[in-house]
Amino acid sequence: MLPLHLLRPLTAATSHTRAFSLSLQRNMRLLQFLQDGKQSVGAELQDTSIVNLSSSNPQIPNSLVKFLESGEDNFNLAKAALESSTKQTVQRSDIKILSPITNCEKVICVGMNYKDHCEEQNMPIPTEPVIFSKFPSSIVGDGDDIIIPKISDSVDWEVELAVVIGKEGKHIKESDALDYVAGYTVAHDVSARDWQMKRNSKQWLLGKTFDTFCPLGPVMVTKDEIKDPHNLSLKCLVNGQVMQSSNTNQLVFSIETCIAWISRIFTLKPGDVLLTGTPPGVGVFRNPPVFLKAGDTVVCDIEGIGKITNKMVAE
């Protein structure tokens, strides 16, 4: 954990949006989907059927980012829609599931944040969070293709727990950080290792942010759906073979520490996505290295959230 003395300068978080009450989330599994070319926000029920929240109440936006921007008001409307005897459900065969988060302001990533991932690289455990980013334009959803760029021959996999921010904040105290979390989703931090580790003066950005390099989904589970985000099993499979298998209890820096750290630098906004790091088993550190090729299928799976499946295709 980050030494506490480093966090003492933090002041109370400020928020300029509506109050966001986690007690009103009601254990929802929220998603975005397309039906007949129209985007909607929905909620997945226990039987995996989907309620179209946007059509149930015209006040509910068709974007989950906009849904979060209105805070508890939309959660109240969604709860009412789910409890209604006339709620509108849709068949999965009639819709296309999208990433739960699209058109967000930021995708923030934490590198070297699993103890066992540091060990596989023979690297020391960081003493402060290692932060980089991906462009939001790299986001795709469950079932979408991941494009292998023509200019890379070293595309690798990374399963990650992603945190979705629920309200605006700056200088957030570590003790308050989870109050700013709307929920969690599964992320695949696809990485072109040649561009990450050899090109661009070894700056990570370009190797991390090619188009389609940030699959998210299949849903955003609200915070109360996850008992302990720091004790979730996660794994990545390539063509059915388990390549990564670990637990979020291996995180070097907790979610709270990471939120407090980055909010000292920039303001967090509703819908911002924080990728918390990947465990060991990535392709680049295998002997010999293994990289993804066209036709491969990658599954990223996290306990309590679900799994996303994406096929690799050549550009």
Side-chain angles (χ1 to χ4, degrees), residues 11-14 168-172 180 263-268:
T11 58
T14 57
E168 182 175 324
K170 181 75 183 290
H171 296 300
I172 299 169
Y180 289 78
S263 72
R264 303 170 94 188
I265 312 301
F266 46 77
T267 301
L268 292 174

Side-chain angles (χ1 to χ4, degrees), residues 21-228:
S21 174
L22 294 173
S23 65
L24 296 174
Q25 292 183 22
R26 310 298 183 186
N27 297 86
M28 295 181 190
R29 297 175 62 85
L30 298 171
L31 50 83
Q32 296 185 142
F33 64 89
L34 281 178
Q35 185 176 30
D36 299 326
K38 183 180 179 180
Q39 180 172 310
S40 298
V41 168
E44 183 183 69
L45 303 180
Q46 288 186 347
D47 62 2
T48 73
S49 62
I50 294 170
V51 176
N52 189 332
L53 297 175
S54 300
S55 65
S56 297
N57 188 322
Q59 296 182 60
I60 297 178
N62 65 355
S63 156
L64 193 48
V65 170
K66 293 187 180 299
F67 181 101
L68 295 173
E69 287 174 348
S70 295
E72 65 182 47
D73 289 350
N74 279 327
F75 281 102
N76 282 328
L77 294 175
K79 178 178 180 291
L82 290 171
E83 293 177 348
S84 171
S85 59
T86 59
K87 56 180 174 287
Q88 301 180 34
T89 60
V90 295
Q91 300 297 318
R92 286 180 177 268
S93 58
D94 295 333
I95 64 175
K96 173 177 171 49
I97 302 294
L98 304 174
S99 166
I101 297 293
T102 50
N103 299 315
C104 58
E105 183 174 283
K106 295 183 285 296
V107 178
I108 311 118
C109 309
V110 187
M112 307 284 292
N113 202 31
Y114 275 74
K115 302 179 183 75
D116 40 11
H117 183 46
C118 295
E119 291 168 359
E120 76 170 341
Q121 303 177 58
N122 295 315
M123 294 288 289
I125 293 175
T127 58
E128 62 186 35
V130 177
I131 304 299
F132 62 98
S133 66
K134 298 169 86 79
F135 293 149
S137 58
S138 65
I139 293 174
V140 292
D142 178 35
D144 290 334
D145 291 338
I146 298 171
I147 300 171
I148 299 175
K150 294 178 180 178
I151 56 176
S152 177
D153 61 4
S154 306
V155 177
D156 204 349
W157 57 83
E158 291 191 10
V159 61
E160 306 204 12
L161 173 66
V163 177
V164 180
I165 299 300
K167 65 177 180 179
E168 182 175 324
K170 181 75 183 290
H171 296 300
I172 299 169
K173 293 180 180 179
E174 186 170 345
S175 58
D176 296 333
L178 290 184
D179 291 339
Y180 289 78
V181 173
Y184 306 99
T185 191
V186 179
H188 182 185
D189 179 13
V190 188
S191 306
R193 301 301 188 190
D194 41 5
W195 283 87
Q196 178 190 359
M197 298 177 171
K198 299 177 182 178
R199 306 289 297 275
N200 196 40
S201 298
K202 300 183 180 180
Q203 295 290 324
W204 290 7
L205 176 64
L206 294 186
K208 293 285 190 173
T209 202
F210 282 93
D211 290 345
T212 72
F213 269 28
C214 189
L216 299 175
V219 298
M220 184 202 81
V221 301
T222 50
K223 192 189 97 163
D224 47 1
E225 185 87 355
I226 301 297
K227 182 178 180 180
D228 182 2

Side-chain angles (χ1 to χ4, degrees), residues 2-14:
L2 188 66
L4 291 177
H5 75 275
L6 293 180
L7 294 179
R8 285 176 184 162
L10 292 175
T11 58
T14 57

